[in-house]
Amino acid sequence: MADSPKPRRILLGITGGIAAYKAAVLCRLLVKRGMDVQVVMTAAAQRFVAAATLQALSGKPVESDLWSDRTPNGMGHIDLSRDRDLIVVAPASADFLARLAGGRADDLLSTLCLARACPLAVAPAMNWQMWDNPATGRNVAQLRADGVQILGPDSGVQACGETGEGRMLEPEDILRQVESRLGPGPLAGRRVLLTAGPTFEAIDVVRGITNRSSGRMGYALAQAAREAGAEVTLVSGPVALAPPPGTLLVPVESAAQMLAAVEAHVARCHVFIGVAAVADYRPTQICKQKLKKSTQTLTLELEPTEDILATLSTRPGAPFCVGFAAESQDLERYAEEKRRRKQLPLLAANAAETAIGAQDNALILFDDAGRHPLPRGPKLEQARLLIAHMIPLLERWERSGAHTHQEPNLQ
Ligand code: CTP
Protein backbone atom coordinates (compact mmCIF):
# COMPACT_ATOMS: atom_id res chain seq x y z
CA MET A 1 0.00 0.00 0.00
CA ALA A 2 1.47 3.36 -1.03
CA ASP A 3 1.90 6.07 1.61
CA SER A 4 -0.67 8.82 1.67
CA PRO A 5 0.67 11.56 -0.66
CA LYS A 6 0.97 14.90 1.10
CA PRO A 7 -0.16 18.04 -0.69
CA ARG A 8 2.76 20.28 -1.60
CA ARG A 9 3.20 22.48 1.48
CA ILE A 10 4.21 26.11 1.18
CA LEU A 11 4.94 28.71 3.80
CA LEU A 12 4.08 32.04 2.18
CA GLY A 13 5.88 34.91 3.91
CA ILE A 14 4.64 38.43 3.23
CA THR A 15 6.66 41.49 4.13
CA GLY A 16 5.84 45.22 4.00
CA GLY A 17 5.53 46.73 0.55
CA ILE A 18 2.81 47.78 -1.84
CA ALA A 19 3.25 44.49 -3.73
CA ALA A 20 1.79 42.77 -0.64
CA TYR A 21 -1.64 43.07 -2.26
CA LYS A 22 -0.38 40.78 -5.03
CA ALA A 23 0.57 38.21 -2.41
CA ALA A 24 -3.17 37.68 -1.94
CA VAL A 25 -3.42 36.71 -5.61
CA LEU A 26 -0.37 34.45 -5.24
CA CYS A 27 -1.92 32.78 -2.20
CA ARG A 28 -5.11 32.11 -4.16
CA LEU A 29 -3.16 30.65 -7.10
CA LEU A 30 -1.13 28.34 -4.84
CA VAL A 31 -4.27 27.10 -3.09
CA LYS A 32 -6.00 26.57 -6.44
CA ARG A 33 -3.09 24.38 -7.55
CA GLY A 34 -3.92 22.08 -4.64
CA MET A 35 -1.12 23.30 -2.36
CA ASP A 36 -1.39 23.65 1.40
CA VAL A 37 -0.47 27.26 2.20
CA GLN A 38 0.46 28.63 5.62
CA VAL A 39 0.75 32.42 5.57
CA VAL A 40 3.13 34.32 7.86
CA MET A 41 3.04 38.13 7.68
CA THR A 42 5.35 40.71 9.16
CA ALA A 43 3.86 43.65 11.06
CA ALA A 44 4.67 45.94 8.12
CA ALA A 45 2.90 43.62 5.65
CA GLN A 46 -0.31 44.07 7.66
CA ARG A 47 -0.14 47.81 6.96
CA PHE A 48 -0.70 46.98 3.29
CA VAL A 49 -3.07 44.01 3.35
CA ALA A 50 -5.25 42.57 6.10
CA ALA A 51 -4.46 39.24 7.70
CA ALA A 52 -8.17 38.39 7.38
CA THR A 53 -7.84 38.49 3.59
CA LEU A 54 -5.00 35.98 3.61
CA GLN A 55 -6.76 33.87 6.21
CA ALA A 56 -9.84 33.60 3.99
CA LEU A 57 -7.73 32.78 0.92
CA SER A 58 -5.47 30.21 2.59
CA GLY A 59 -8.19 28.71 4.78
CA LYS A 60 -5.93 28.90 7.84
CA PRO A 61 -5.14 31.45 10.55
CA VAL A 62 -2.34 33.79 9.53
CA GLU A 63 0.66 33.81 11.88
CA SER A 64 2.64 36.95 12.54
CA ASP A 65 3.64 37.28 16.15
CA LEU A 66 6.69 35.59 17.59
CA TRP A 67 5.23 36.01 21.06
CA SER A 68 1.69 34.68 20.62
CA ASP A 69 2.40 31.07 19.89
CA ARG A 70 -0.52 28.77 19.05
CA THR A 71 1.47 25.55 18.71
CA PRO A 72 0.98 22.88 21.40
CA ASN A 73 4.68 22.81 22.34
CA GLY A 74 5.21 26.58 22.18
CA MET A 75 7.76 26.13 19.41
CA GLY A 76 5.85 27.88 16.62
CA HIS A 77 8.93 29.86 15.59
CA ILE A 78 10.46 26.56 14.52
CA ASP A 79 7.49 24.24 13.96
CA LEU A 80 5.60 26.38 11.47
CA SER A 81 8.17 25.66 8.77
CA ARG A 82 9.02 22.08 9.81
CA ASP A 83 6.49 20.32 7.58
CA ARG A 84 6.87 22.75 4.67
CA ASP A 85 8.40 21.87 1.29
CA LEU A 86 9.32 25.47 0.52
CA ILE A 87 9.23 28.95 2.06
CA VAL A 88 8.41 31.70 -0.44
CA VAL A 89 8.67 35.29 0.73
CA ALA A 90 6.72 37.52 -1.65
CA PRO A 91 7.09 40.40 -1.59
CA ALA A 92 10.50 40.48 0.10
CA SER A 93 11.30 44.08 1.07
CA ALA A 94 14.82 45.56 1.04
CA ASP A 95 14.73 45.57 4.82
CA PHE A 96 13.72 41.90 4.97
CA LEU A 97 16.49 40.89 2.54
CA ALA A 98 18.98 42.75 4.76
CA ARG A 99 17.71 40.99 7.87
CA LEU A 100 17.79 37.63 6.11
CA ALA A 101 21.32 38.17 4.80
CA GLY A 102 22.43 39.16 8.29
CA GLY A 103 20.91 36.04 9.87
CA ARG A 104 18.58 38.12 12.07
CA ALA A 105 15.70 36.53 13.96
CA ASP A 106 13.81 39.57 15.18
CA ASP A 107 10.30 38.65 14.09
CA LEU A 108 8.40 35.44 13.37
CA LEU A 109 9.11 35.32 9.62
CA SER A 110 12.85 35.96 9.89
CA THR A 111 13.09 33.44 12.73
CA LEU A 112 11.28 30.81 10.65
CA CYS A 113 13.63 31.47 7.74
CA LEU A 114 16.67 31.13 9.98
CA ALA A 115 15.39 27.93 11.64
CA ARG A 116 14.14 26.33 8.43
CA ALA A 117 14.76 22.81 7.19
CA CYS A 118 13.44 23.44 3.67
CA PRO A 119 14.47 25.58 0.67
CA LEU A 120 13.79 29.32 0.68
CA ALA A 121 12.85 31.53 -2.27
CA VAL A 122 12.33 35.28 -2.11
CA ALA A 123 10.65 37.63 -4.58
CA PRO A 124 12.19 41.09 -3.99
CA ALA A 125 9.96 44.14 -4.43
CA MET A 126 11.19 47.67 -3.90
CA ASN A 127 11.84 51.04 -5.48
CA TRP A 128 14.49 50.78 -8.25
CA GLN A 129 16.99 52.90 -6.33
CA MET A 130 16.70 50.66 -3.30
CA TRP A 131 17.30 47.68 -5.59
CA ASP A 132 20.26 49.47 -7.23
CA ASN A 133 21.81 50.37 -3.91
CA PRO A 134 25.08 48.49 -3.34
CA ALA A 135 23.87 47.50 0.15
CA THR A 136 20.93 45.62 -1.38
CA GLY A 137 23.28 44.19 -4.03
CA ARG A 138 25.55 42.86 -1.28
CA ASN A 139 22.61 41.35 0.60
CA VAL A 140 21.23 39.65 -2.49
CA ALA A 141 24.68 38.29 -3.42
CA GLN A 142 25.02 36.94 0.12
CA LEU A 143 21.60 35.31 -0.03
CA ARG A 144 22.42 33.70 -3.40
CA ALA A 145 25.68 32.40 -1.92
CA ASP A 146 23.67 31.00 0.99
CA GLY A 147 21.50 29.03 -1.44
CA VAL A 148 18.42 31.26 -1.33
CA GLN A 149 16.56 31.39 -4.66
CA ILE A 150 15.96 34.95 -5.86
CA LEU A 151 12.80 35.26 -7.97
CA GLY A 152 13.04 38.36 -10.15
CA PRO A 153 12.63 41.24 -9.71
CA ASP A 154 10.99 42.58 -12.85
CA SER A 155 11.41 46.03 -14.28
CA GLY A 156 8.74 48.51 -15.28
CA VAL A 157 6.62 51.30 -13.90
CA GLN A 158 6.68 51.29 -10.11
CA ALA A 159 4.06 52.26 -7.53
CA CYS A 160 6.00 55.50 -6.90
CA GLY A 161 5.58 56.41 -10.57
CA GLU A 162 9.26 55.89 -11.40
CA THR A 163 10.45 53.26 -13.84
CA GLY A 164 13.17 50.71 -13.21
CA GLU A 165 14.09 47.33 -11.83
CA GLY A 166 12.52 46.26 -8.53
CA ARG A 167 8.91 45.33 -9.29
CA MET A 168 7.82 42.05 -7.81
CA LEU A 169 7.36 39.27 -10.37
CA GLU A 170 3.71 38.71 -11.28
CA PRO A 171 2.01 36.08 -9.08
CA GLU A 172 1.62 33.72 -12.10
CA ASP A 173 5.41 33.86 -12.69
CA ILE A 174 6.14 33.13 -9.02
CA LEU A 175 3.67 30.22 -9.16
CA ARG A 176 5.48 28.80 -12.21
CA GLN A 177 8.82 28.97 -10.40
CA VAL A 178 7.37 27.36 -7.28
CA GLU A 179 5.89 24.54 -9.37
CA SER A 180 9.10 23.98 -11.28
CA ARG A 181 10.92 23.75 -7.95
CA LEU A 182 8.45 21.39 -6.25
CA GLY A 183 7.37 19.38 -9.25
CA PRO A 184 3.88 19.46 -10.65
CA GLY A 185 2.47 16.41 -8.79
CA PRO A 186 2.06 12.80 -9.92
CA LEU A 187 -1.25 13.43 -11.72
CA ALA A 188 -0.07 16.53 -13.60
CA GLY A 189 -1.35 16.50 -17.17
CA ARG A 190 -4.23 14.15 -16.24
CA ARG A 191 -7.86 15.19 -16.27
CA VAL A 192 -10.01 13.56 -13.62
CA LEU A 193 -13.81 13.55 -13.75
CA LEU A 194 -15.78 12.69 -10.60
CA THR A 195 -19.39 12.33 -9.58
CA ALA A 196 -20.31 13.13 -5.98
CA GLY A 197 -23.24 13.56 -3.63
CA PRO A 198 -26.78 12.26 -3.92
CA THR A 199 -29.18 12.74 -6.79
CA PHE A 200 -32.68 14.13 -6.38
CA GLU A 201 -35.45 12.52 -8.41
CA ALA A 202 -38.48 14.76 -8.51
CA ILE A 203 -41.95 13.42 -7.66
CA ASP A 204 -43.71 16.74 -8.09
CA VAL A 205 -42.65 20.39 -8.13
CA VAL A 206 -41.50 20.34 -4.51
CA ARG A 207 -40.93 16.71 -3.52
CA GLY A 208 -38.47 14.11 -4.56
CA ILE A 209 -36.51 10.95 -3.77
CA THR A 210 -32.96 11.36 -2.53
CA ASN A 211 -30.54 9.72 -0.06
CA ARG A 212 -28.24 10.56 2.85
CA SER A 213 -25.06 11.12 0.83
CA SER A 214 -23.27 14.30 2.01
CA GLY A 215 -20.84 14.46 -0.93
CA ARG A 216 -17.87 14.51 1.48
CA MET A 217 -16.11 11.46 0.05
CA GLY A 218 -16.43 12.70 -3.54
CA TYR A 219 -15.34 16.23 -2.64
CA ALA A 220 -12.39 14.83 -0.66
CA LEU A 221 -11.35 12.79 -3.70
CA ALA A 222 -11.65 15.83 -5.93
CA GLN A 223 -9.33 17.67 -3.52
CA ALA A 224 -6.87 14.77 -3.32
CA ALA A 225 -6.73 14.51 -7.13
CA ARG A 226 -6.18 18.28 -7.36
CA GLU A 227 -3.42 18.11 -4.76
CA ALA A 228 -1.76 15.44 -6.90
CA GLY A 229 -1.72 17.92 -9.79
CA ALA A 230 -4.73 16.73 -11.84
CA GLU A 231 -7.21 18.98 -13.59
CA VAL A 232 -10.47 18.11 -11.84
CA THR A 233 -14.12 18.33 -12.92
CA LEU A 234 -16.65 17.56 -10.21
CA VAL A 235 -20.20 16.71 -11.25
CA SER A 236 -22.14 17.02 -8.05
CA GLY A 237 -25.66 16.39 -6.87
CA PRO A 238 -27.18 18.78 -4.30
CA VAL A 239 -24.83 19.07 -1.27
CA ALA A 240 -23.89 21.73 1.27
CA LEU A 241 -20.16 21.78 0.50
CA ALA A 242 -17.88 24.25 -1.23
CA PRO A 243 -15.95 22.73 -4.15
CA PRO A 244 -12.22 22.32 -3.49
CA PRO A 245 -10.25 25.30 -4.83
CA GLY A 246 -9.11 24.91 -8.41
CA THR A 247 -11.75 22.34 -9.38
CA LEU A 248 -14.52 22.86 -11.91
CA LEU A 249 -17.93 22.25 -10.33
CA VAL A 250 -20.84 21.12 -12.50
CA PRO A 251 -23.95 21.12 -10.28
CA VAL A 252 -26.77 18.75 -11.22
CA GLU A 253 -29.89 17.36 -9.58
CA SER A 254 -31.16 14.14 -11.13
CA ALA A 255 -29.42 10.96 -12.31
CA ALA A 256 -30.31 11.87 -15.90
CA GLN A 257 -28.69 15.31 -15.51
CA MET A 258 -25.64 13.72 -13.89
CA LEU A 259 -25.26 11.31 -16.81
CA ALA A 260 -25.63 14.17 -19.32
CA ALA A 261 -23.00 16.25 -17.50
CA VAL A 262 -20.62 13.29 -17.32
CA GLU A 263 -21.12 12.59 -21.04
CA ALA A 264 -20.37 16.24 -21.80
CA HIS A 265 -17.00 16.07 -20.02
CA VAL A 266 -15.82 12.48 -20.25
CA ALA A 267 -14.21 12.64 -23.69
CA ARG A 268 -11.52 14.95 -22.32
CA CYS A 269 -10.79 12.84 -19.26
CA HIS A 270 -8.17 10.24 -18.42
CA VAL A 271 -9.79 9.07 -15.18
CA PHE A 272 -13.43 8.75 -14.10
CA ILE A 273 -14.26 8.22 -10.42
CA GLY A 274 -17.92 7.48 -9.66
CA VAL A 275 -18.48 8.42 -6.03
CA ALA A 276 -22.06 9.70 -6.29
CA ALA A 277 -24.88 7.83 -4.61
CA VAL A 278 -26.94 7.89 -7.79
CA ALA A 279 -30.61 7.00 -7.47
CA ASP A 280 -31.26 3.59 -9.00
CA TYR A 281 -34.94 4.45 -9.65
CA ARG A 282 -36.91 7.57 -10.52
CA PRO A 283 -40.66 8.23 -10.70
CA THR A 284 -42.02 7.45 -14.17
CA GLN A 285 -44.02 10.69 -14.05
CA ILE A 286 -43.17 14.04 -12.50
CA CYS A 287 -46.38 15.75 -11.43
CA LYS A 288 -46.34 19.33 -12.75
CA GLN A 289 -48.34 20.55 -9.73
CA LYS A 290 -47.88 19.91 -6.03
CA LEU A 291 -49.66 16.61 -5.30
CA LYS A 292 -52.63 17.09 -3.02
CA LYS A 293 -53.07 14.73 -0.11
CA SER A 294 -56.01 12.40 0.28
CA THR A 295 -56.92 9.53 2.54
CA GLN A 296 -56.11 7.04 -0.24
CA THR A 297 -52.90 5.04 -0.43
CA LEU A 298 -50.51 6.60 -2.91
CA THR A 299 -48.45 4.34 -5.14
CA LEU A 300 -45.45 5.74 -6.96
CA GLU A 301 -44.36 3.98 -10.10
CA LEU A 302 -40.56 3.96 -10.45
CA GLU A 303 -38.36 3.13 -13.39
CA PRO A 304 -34.64 2.31 -13.33
CA THR A 305 -32.11 5.06 -14.01
CA GLU A 306 -29.06 4.43 -16.12
CA ASP A 307 -25.93 3.23 -14.34
CA ILE A 308 -23.53 6.08 -15.15
CA LEU A 309 -20.40 4.23 -14.12
CA ALA A 310 -21.24 1.00 -15.96
CA THR A 311 -22.27 2.96 -19.07
CA LEU A 312 -18.79 4.47 -19.24
CA SER A 313 -16.62 1.66 -17.94
CA THR A 314 -17.89 -1.00 -20.35
CA ARG A 315 -17.60 1.24 -23.40
CA PRO A 316 -14.64 0.93 -25.81
CA GLY A 317 -12.11 3.72 -25.21
CA ALA A 318 -13.31 4.23 -21.63
CA PRO A 319 -11.11 6.25 -19.28
CA PHE A 320 -9.55 4.53 -16.26
CA CYS A 321 -12.68 3.99 -14.16
CA VAL A 322 -12.86 3.82 -10.38
CA GLY A 323 -16.11 2.81 -8.70
CA PHE A 324 -17.53 2.79 -5.21
CA ALA A 325 -19.74 0.22 -3.59
CA ALA A 326 -21.93 1.04 -0.61
CA GLU A 327 -23.23 -2.17 0.94
CA SER A 328 -25.17 -2.91 4.09
CA GLN A 329 -24.42 -6.66 4.02
CA ASP A 330 -21.85 -9.04 2.58
CA LEU A 331 -19.68 -6.01 1.75
CA GLU A 332 -16.66 -7.71 0.27
CA ARG A 333 -18.50 -10.29 -1.87
CA TYR A 334 -20.91 -7.70 -3.34
CA ALA A 335 -18.10 -5.21 -3.87
CA GLU A 336 -15.87 -7.57 -5.83
CA GLU A 337 -18.88 -8.75 -7.83
CA LYS A 338 -19.67 -5.11 -8.68
CA ARG A 339 -16.08 -4.50 -9.70
CA ARG A 340 -16.12 -7.44 -12.11
CA ARG A 341 -19.58 -6.69 -13.48
CA LYS A 342 -18.69 -3.04 -14.15
CA GLN A 343 -15.18 -4.02 -15.43
CA LEU A 344 -13.34 -1.69 -13.05
CA PRO A 345 -9.59 -1.80 -12.41
CA LEU A 346 -10.26 -0.30 -8.95
CA LEU A 347 -13.26 -0.17 -6.63
CA ALA A 348 -13.59 1.24 -3.12
CA ALA A 349 -16.06 -0.49 -0.86
CA ASN A 350 -17.61 1.01 2.23
CA ALA A 351 -20.33 0.10 4.71
CA ALA A 352 -23.45 2.00 3.66
CA GLU A 353 -24.75 2.73 7.17
CA THR A 354 -21.48 4.09 8.64
CA ALA A 355 -19.97 5.77 5.55
CA ILE A 356 -22.83 7.60 3.87
CA GLY A 357 -23.24 11.05 5.39
CA ALA A 358 -20.35 10.50 7.88
CA GLN A 359 -17.09 12.44 8.42
CA ASP A 360 -14.88 9.34 8.59
CA ASN A 361 -14.64 6.25 6.49
CA ALA A 362 -12.85 2.90 6.34
CA LEU A 363 -12.54 1.97 2.69
CA ILE A 364 -11.53 -1.42 1.38
CA LEU A 365 -9.94 -1.13 -2.05
CA PHE A 366 -10.38 -3.97 -4.55
CA ASP A 367 -8.18 -4.37 -7.61
CA ASP A 368 -6.80 -7.27 -9.67
CA ALA A 369 -4.26 -7.98 -6.92
CA GLY A 370 -6.92 -8.43 -4.22
CA ARG A 371 -8.26 -6.46 -1.29
CA HIS A 372 -6.51 -3.57 0.47
CA PRO A 373 -8.21 -2.27 3.62
CA LEU A 374 -7.41 1.33 4.60
CA PRO A 375 -7.18 2.36 8.26
CA ARG A 376 -10.34 4.24 9.36
CA GLY A 377 -9.85 8.01 9.20
CA PRO A 378 -11.18 11.32 7.91
CA LYS A 379 -12.49 11.16 4.36
CA LEU A 380 -9.74 13.46 3.03
CA GLU A 381 -7.06 11.13 4.40
CA GLN A 382 -8.89 8.13 2.87
CA ALA A 383 -9.13 10.00 -0.42
CA ARG A 384 -5.38 10.70 -0.47
CA LEU A 385 -4.67 7.03 0.19
CA LEU A 386 -7.03 6.00 -2.59
CA ILE A 387 -5.35 8.37 -5.06
CA ALA A 388 -1.91 7.09 -3.99
CA HIS A 389 -3.10 3.52 -4.59
CA MET A 390 -4.63 4.46 -7.93
CA ILE A 391 -1.60 6.19 -9.47
CA PRO A 392 0.58 3.10 -10.09
CA LEU A 393 -2.48 1.16 -11.34
CA LEU A 394 -3.29 3.99 -13.75
CA GLU A 395 0.30 4.16 -14.97
CA ARG A 396 0.42 0.38 -15.52
CA TRP A 397 -2.96 0.47 -17.28
CA GLU A 398 -1.73 3.26 -19.59
CA ARG A 399 1.51 1.42 -20.34
CA SER A 400 -0.30 -1.85 -21.07
CA GLY A 401 -2.49 -0.18 -23.69
CA ALA A 402 -5.56 -1.66 -21.93
CA HIS A 403 -7.33 1.50 -22.94
CA THR A 404 -8.02 1.83 -26.65
CA HIS A 405 -6.87 5.43 -26.97
CA GLN A 406 -3.71 7.06 -25.67
CA GLU A 407 -4.89 10.65 -25.58
CA PRO A 408 -8.51 11.58 -24.98
CA ASN A 409 -10.39 13.38 -27.69
CA LEU A 410 -10.03 17.08 -26.92
CA GLN A 411 -12.83 18.27 -29.23
N1 CTP B 1 -23.49 4.29 -9.95
C1 CTP B 1 -23.72 5.05 -11.07
N2 CTP B 1 -24.98 5.20 -11.57
C2 CTP B 1 -26.02 4.59 -10.97
C3 CTP B 1 -25.81 3.80 -9.83
C4 CTP B 1 -24.53 3.67 -9.33
O1 CTP B 1 -22.76 5.61 -11.62
N3 CTP B 1 -27.24 4.76 -11.49
C5 CTP B 1 -22.12 4.12 -9.46
C6 CTP B 1 -21.84 4.75 -8.11
O2 CTP B 1 -21.37 6.08 -8.27
C7 CTP B 1 -20.77 3.82 -7.55
C8 CTP B 1 -21.13 2.47 -8.15
O3 CTP B 1 -21.92 2.75 -9.31
O4 CTP B 1 -19.48 4.15 -8.04
C9 CTP B 1 -21.87 1.53 -7.25
O5 CTP B 1 -22.96 2.15 -6.66
P1 CTP B 1 -23.84 1.38 -5.58
O6 CTP B 1 -25.01 2.24 -5.21
O7 CTP B 1 -22.98 0.82 -4.50
O8 CTP B 1 -24.32 0.11 -6.38
P2 CTP B 1 -25.34 -0.13 -7.53
O9 CTP B 1 -24.58 -0.38 -8.78
O10 CTP B 1 -26.35 0.98 -7.60
O11 CTP B 1 -26.03 -1.49 -7.07
P3 CTP B 1 -26.92 -1.78 -5.74
O12 CTP B 1 -27.66 -0.51 -5.41
O13 CTP B 1 -27.79 -2.89 -6.15
O14 CTP B 1 -25.95 -2.20 -4.67
Side-chain angles (χ1 to χ4, degrees):
M1 173 71 50
D3 284 342
S4 168
K6 296 273 177 276
R8 290 159 295 168
R9 292 170 188 265
I10 305 283
L11 191 146
L12 174 60
I14 307 176
T15 72
I18 182 58
Y21 81 92
K22 289 189 184 175
V25 178
L26 175 61
C27 178
R28 179 83 185 130
L29 292 175
L30 294 168
V31 169
K32 280 182 81 174
R33 301 300 274 208
M35 296 184 206
D36 175 304
V37 182
Q38 171 65 60
V39 176
V40 176
M41 298 175 79
T42 63
Q46 292 177 67
R47 299 267 179 171
F48 292 91
V49 59
T53 305
L54 276 302
Q55 175 166 322
L57 293 171
S58 67
K60 288 195 180 51
V62 168
E63 302 293 340
S64 57
D65 189 353
L66 195 51
W67 303 109
S68 62
D69 197 328
R70 272 185 269 223
T71 55
N73 62 358
M75 286 289 159
H77 63 291
I78 296 173
D79 281 359
L80 276 173
S81 68
R82 274 291 138 86
D83 66 348
R84 300 287 117 182
D85 300 310
L86 180 68
I87 300 178
V88 185
V89 181
S93 64
D95 174 67
F96 189 75
L97 295 180
R99 288 194 284 131
L100 206 56
R104 301 286 294 269
D106 46 9
D107 64 6
L108 181 61
L109 185 57
S110 57
T111 308
L112 285 167
C113 289
L114 195 64
R116 76 185 186 275
C118 64
L120 170 63
V122 297
M126 63 199 75
N127 164 273
W128 68 273
Q129 279 170 319
M130 290 167 111
W131 178 251
D132 264 3
N133 192 296
T136 303
R138 275 197 307 277
N139 292 331
V140 170
Q142 183 61 56
L143 290 172
R144 278 208 174 94
D146 293 345
V148 176
Q149 186 180 3
I150 312 290
L151 309 174
D154 233 343
S155 58
V157 180
Q158 302 207 298
C160 54
E162 295 171 10
T163 303
E165 207 176 354
R167 276 166 59 102
M168 188 174 86
L169 283 187
E170 290 304 323
E172 290 77 9
D173 296 326
I174 298 175
L175 172 72
R176 255 191 295 283
Q177 303 224 29
V178 167
E179 286 222 298
S180 76
R181 175 127 203 179
L182 294 182
L187 285 180
R190 305 300 208 311
R191 286 179 286 268
V192 174
L193 176 64
L194 298 107
T195 62
T199 61
F200 180 89
E201 308 301 329
I203 295 171
D204 66 13
V205 284
V206 288
R207 304 182 182 94
I209 301 173
T210 187
N211 59 65
R212 293 183 193 277
S213 168
S214 64
R216 280 192 201 100
M217 194 67 236
Y219 278 55
L221 268 159
Q223 179 170 338
R226 186 74 198 107
E227 286 172 2
E231 204 181 291
V232 175
T233 304
L234 179 57
V235 177
S236 174
V239 297
L241 299 173
T247 60
L248 174 68
L249 177 72
V250 183
V252 296
E253 210 166 66
S254 65
Q257 288 170 358
M258 188 172 271
L259 175 62
V262 164
E263 290 287 18
H265 288 89
V266 71
R268 302 182 70 245
C269 286
H270 302 85
V271 176
F272 173 75
I273 310 180
V275 198
V278 187
D280 290 330
Y281 296 92
R282 70 174 146 245
T284 48
Q285 308 258 333
I286 302 175
C287 185
K288 301 257 177 329
Q289 309 298 332
K290 182 175 170 251
L291 282 169
K292 299 307 285 179
K293 75 172 167 237
S294 79
T295 52
Q296 302 298 303
T297 305
L298 177 70
T299 305
L300 281 177
E301 193 183 34
L302 303 178
E303 64 186 9
T305 59
E306 249 184 295
D307 189 313
I308 300 169
L309 176 62
T311 304
L312 297 189
S313 63
T314 54
R315 174 189 286 178
F320 183 91
C321 286
V322 181
F324 268 70
E327 309 291 349
S328 59
Q329 53 176 333
D330 238 344
L331 174 74
E332 304 206 8
R333 183 167 66 81
Y334 281 141
E336 182 56 14
E337 240 172 60
K338 231 170 241 182
R339 187 177 86 85
R340 292 190 183 278
R341 184 163 26 94
K342 300 194 187 187
Q343 299 172 29
L344 306 171
L346 180 61
L347 178 137
N350 47 199
E353 331 78 272
T354 53
I356 293 185
Q359 302 277 353
D360 282 16
N361 208 350
L363 294 174
I364 305 177
L365 307 183
F366 288 86
D367 60 19
D368 288 343
R371 62 188 286 284
H372 313 272
L374 303 184
R376 171 169 287 282
K379 287 184 170 171
L380 181 57
E381 210 37 51
Q382 298 267 305
R384 288 177 181 148
L385 288 166
L386 190 155
I387 294 292
H389 189 89
M390 183 194 82
I391 289 167
L393 298 182
L394 169 67
E395 288 170 351
R396 205 171 318 137
W397 182 81
E398 287 173 340
R399 278 198 306 274
S400 74
H403 56 325
T404 52
H405 63 327
Q406 288 292 328
E407 181 52 27
N409 171 17
L410 297 179
Q411 297 307 304

